[in-house]
Amino acid sequence: MDPATGANTATIPLGVHPWDLAVSPDGSTVYATHRYEGTVSVVSTETGTITDTIADLYLPWAVVVSPDGAQIYVAHLAPSGSS
């Protein structure tokens, strides 16, 4: 999205029902949770492609990036029966 005009400049397919998004401090990466797929997509804003997928999460619903961009934090539910 162009911040000056609000116009859509690109569309990146992120699968079914992306739930939450977070952008790295330098704007180079977007992280998208996929609650029902149990994954987080790592997207390059430069290329508009998914560069990595973090898998095996149980219902991830929120993601934030640390101020220095070195870490991401993903909130997800614990599977039933886990402690």
Side-chain angles (χ1 to χ4, degrees):
M1 179 172 277
D2 183 328
T5 66
N8 184 12
T9 59
T11 300
I12 301 168
L14 290 176
V16 180
H17 303 295
W19 196 264
D20 190 31
L21 299 173
V23 181
S24 63
D26 65 3
S28 67
T29 308
V30 173
Y31 301 91
T33 61
H34 303 280
R35 184 174 177 135
Y36 301 113
E37 290 85 7
T39 62
V40 175
S41 294
V42 181
V43 180
S44 165
T45 58
E46 182 177 330
T47 64
T49 60
I50 297 172
T51 59
D52 199 3
T53 300
I54 302 165
D56 298 325
L57 300 170
Y58 186 76
L59 297 174
W61 55 275
V63 60
V64 296
V65 183
S66 63
D68 65 0
Q71 300 286 323
I72 66 165
Y73 301 91
V74 179
H76 65 100
L77 299 177
S80 61
S82 65
S83 48

